[in-house]
Amino acid sequence: MAKSLFLIFFGLSSGCLVAAGTFAFIAAIGIVPRMAKRTKTQQYIRIYEDAIVLGGIFGTTAMFMDYRFPDIPFLLGGYGFCTGVFVGVLAMALTEVLNVVPIMLRRARITKGLQWLVLAFALGKVFGSLAYFLVDGFYVL
């Protein structure tokens, strides 16, 4: 019994530390204020922060509970869109903070066509995701 209680405590403590680190990382690279500033919606920052926390809680509990979305394409499409936006914004904020794009452009000596490079990255991600989920053999349960 004592061993089980210790494992429960250890698991919850570890999960809390990982979650705190993840949210600290998101706060440190400044996704929320940057997105609010670019979209001119600074008055809704609290709602953005609450949505991130609720999304983290939902994502964590979804690992242990069997959530099911209703088979309504609009809801599933909305969920997929929101997930994609979050992952894309997180990736771009991380590359911006680490100055990956300017360093890559300087080393590759790319002076023109940056918009085509970004479009190629985005399309590559889209087609890669489609292949992963639609082609047999990429995704195995």
Side-chain angles (χ1 to χ4, degrees), residues 3-4 8 10-11 19 38-40 44-45 48 59 63-64 71 83 91 94 112 116 132-133 136 140:
K3 184 178 179 181
S4 295
I8 291 170
F10 185 74
R38 296 217 179 180
T39 59
K40 296 178 177 67
Y44 301 115
I45 285 182
Y48 294 150
M63 298 173 98
F64 304 106
D71 288 337
T83 303
L94 182 58
K112 295 181 181 179
W116 298 108
Y132 180 79
F133 289 110
D136 287 338
V140 180

Side-chain angles (χ1 to χ4, degrees), residues 60-83:
T60 302
T61 58
M63 298 173 98
F64 304 106
M65 298 177 178
D66 192 21
Y67 291 133
R68 296 283 180 191
F69 279 113
D71 288 337
I72 301 171
F74 179 75
L75 289 177
L76 294 175
Y79 173 76
F81 177 76
C82 291
T83 303

Side-chain angles (χ1 to χ4, degrees), residues 2-86:
K3 184 178 179 181
S4 295
L5 289 175
F6 173 75
L7 290 175
I8 291 170
F9 174 75
F10 185 74
L12 286 173
S13 299
S14 299
C16 289
L17 288 174
V18 169
T22 301
F23 290 121
F25 174 71
I26 289 172
I29 62 177
I31 289 177
V32 175
R34 187 172 295 145
M35 287 299 292
K37 183 178 178 184
R38 296 217 179 180
T39 59
K40 296 178 177 67
T41 56
Q42 291 94 338
Q43 67 268 25
Y44 301 115
I45 285 182
R46 294 284 300 191
I47 294 173
Y48 294 150
E49 292 170 347
D50 291 343
I52 290 172
V53 170
L54 290 174
I57 291 169
F58 174 76
T60 302
T61 58
M63 298 173 98
F64 304 106
M65 298 177 178
D66 192 21
Y67 291 133
R68 296 283 180 191
F69 279 113
D71 288 337
I72 301 171
F74 179 75
L75 289 177
L76 294 175
Y79 173 76
F81 177 76
C82 291
T83 303
V85 167
F86 176 76

